[in-house]
């Protein structure tokens, strides 16, 4: 497709369940970002990939969060033993170049609800 | 402490008038800023950007102004239209060549017909 695609759009998980969120970036985009957006807040940075290398994971809130991009294209954000505070919209974004002056393109997000 | 601050959570404007959305930042190292627009149940979409070599960037009805000494930027929409009703996020490019974006909390704009 032409844009960033995320799946599933909606996910309801029972507390303690593991979830996996998928992101298909725009083809050829080098940079890929994951953000977490809580209700009423702006997107909060989680982690960043340049091709397959995870260059920054400083925003991951706990060791229950894990992200990978093994072939430098599709990325998966995994959350283990989900907690209620993990409920949020998870946004993926990609950027064509490494440089500063380009915008990031966002997917529609995955809304995770932990019950 | 927040690096990017949008102090007005909401703004209501009459159709045809000017909308002014404000943003303050604290980090002076990185000087590329972006505005995103977000409709409910959709991801943010890029609207307009500005780098520090400029103090103004214009694209149709949208103009962004940058005041580096005050560490302040603003987005002007004129004339405002009902379809502009959305949440607007200011973002600062952070991380140099890595290009991570730090977002404000957003301002919800309502344009009334």
């Amino acid at each position: 497709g032409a844009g960033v695609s995320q799946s599933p759009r909606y996910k309801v998980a029972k507390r303690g369940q593991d979830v996996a969120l998928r992101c298909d970036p725009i083809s050829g985009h080098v940079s890929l970002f994951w953000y977490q957006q809580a209700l009423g807040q702006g997107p909060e940075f989680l982690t960043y990939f340049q091709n397959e290398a995870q260059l920054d994971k400083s925003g991951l809130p706990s060791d229950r969060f894990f992200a990978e991009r093994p072939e430098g294209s599709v990325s998966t954000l995994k959350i283990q033993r989900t907690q209620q505070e993990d409920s949020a919209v998870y946004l993926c974004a990609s950027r064509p170049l490494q440089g500063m002056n380009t915008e990031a393109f966002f997917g529609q997000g995955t809304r995770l609800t932990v019950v | 402490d927040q690096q990017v601050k949008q102090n007005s959570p909401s703004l209501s404007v009459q159709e045809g008038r000017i909308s002014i959305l404000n943003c303050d930042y604290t980090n002076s190292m990185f000087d590329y800023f972006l505005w995103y627009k977000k409709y409910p149940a959709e991801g943010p979409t890029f609207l307009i950007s500005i780098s520090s070599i400029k103090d103004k960037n214009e694209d149709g009805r949208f103009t962004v102004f940058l005041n580096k000494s005050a560490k302040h930027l603003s987005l002007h929409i004129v004339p405002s239209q009902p379809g502009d009703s959305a949440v607007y996020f200011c973002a600062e490019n952070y991380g140099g060549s890595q290009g991570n974006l730090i977002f404000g909390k957003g301002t919800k704009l309502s344009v009334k017909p």
Side-chain angles (χ1 to χ4, degrees):
Chain A
V4 177
S5 178
Q6 292 187 246
S7 60
R9 286 292 313 278
Y10 303 92
K11 176 70 179 177
V12 178
K14 290 184 178 179
R15 193 161 63 95
Q17 184 181 352
D18 297 350
V19 297
L21 313 180
R22 178 188 170 103
C23 173
D24 282 87
I26 294 173
S27 177
H29 278 197
V30 169
S31 300
L32 185 145
F33 306 86
W34 283 98
Y35 289 84
Q36 180 190 60
Q37 185 176 16
L39 191 64
Q41 302 294 314
E44 296 274 349
F45 170 75
L46 293 176
T47 187
Y48 161 76
F49 290 87
Q50 182 182 319
N51 296 307
E52 69 279 2
Q54 188 174 19
L55 298 187
D56 188 345
K57 54 182 181 179
S58 62
L60 296 176
S62 78
D63 59 7
R64 296 186 295 104
F65 287 71
F66 171 77
E68 61 182 3
R69 194 186 185 196
E71 297 178 359
S73 55
V74 171
S75 177
T76 304
L77 176 67
K78 298 179 179 178
I79 309 173
Q80 297 177 322
R81 305 180 303 281
T82 52
Q83 304 295 317
Q84 284 192 321
E85 62 263 28
D86 301 335
S87 296
V89 175
Y90 290 85
L91 294 164
C92 175
S94 69
R95 227 171 176 172
L97 301 170
Q98 184 180 354
M100 288 179 63
N101 295 341
T102 56
E103 68 267 26
F105 297 82
F106 281 84
Q108 290 182 299
T110 294
R111 179 176 294 278
L112 173 66
T113 303
V114 181
V115 297
Chain B
D1 191 26
Q2 266 195 296
Q3 286 180 249
V4 179
K5 293 182 182 180
Q6 293 178 257
N7 292 320
S8 298
S10 63
L11 175 67
S12 183
V13 171
Q14 204 67 32
E15 181 180 7
R17 305 296 290 270
I18 185 170
S19 296
I20 300 176
L21 298 103
N22 294 301
C23 178
D24 297 295
Y25 62 95
T26 57
N27 192 337
S28 300
M29 285 184 66
F30 305 105
D31 49 13
Y32 180 62
F33 300 91
L34 307 94
W35 284 94
Y36 279 81
K37 176 179 178 180
K38 187 180 184 301
Y39 292 117
E42 294 185 11
T45 54
F46 170 74
L47 193 57
I48 193 169
S49 63
I50 190 166
S51 67
S52 62
I53 62 172
K54 295 183 176 181
D55 54 16
K56 175 183 174 181
N57 188 25
E58 190 172 354
D59 183 3
R61 297 185 297 111
F62 303 91
T63 303
V64 57
F65 296 91
L66 177 61
N67 182 334
K68 288 182 68 179
S69 61
K71 297 185 181 180
H72 177 84
L73 64 158
S74 61
L75 174 68
H76 292 210
I77 307 172
V78 55
S80 301
Q81 300 174 354
D84 296 330
S85 297
V87 178
Y88 289 79
F89 292 100
C90 170
E92 175 185 14
N93 190 89
Y94 181 83
S97 61
Q98 291 186 11
N100 180 24
L101 298 177
I102 303 295
F103 286 85
K105 291 188 175 184
T107 297
K108 184 177 182 179
L109 174 65
S110 299
V111 180
K112 298 182 178 180

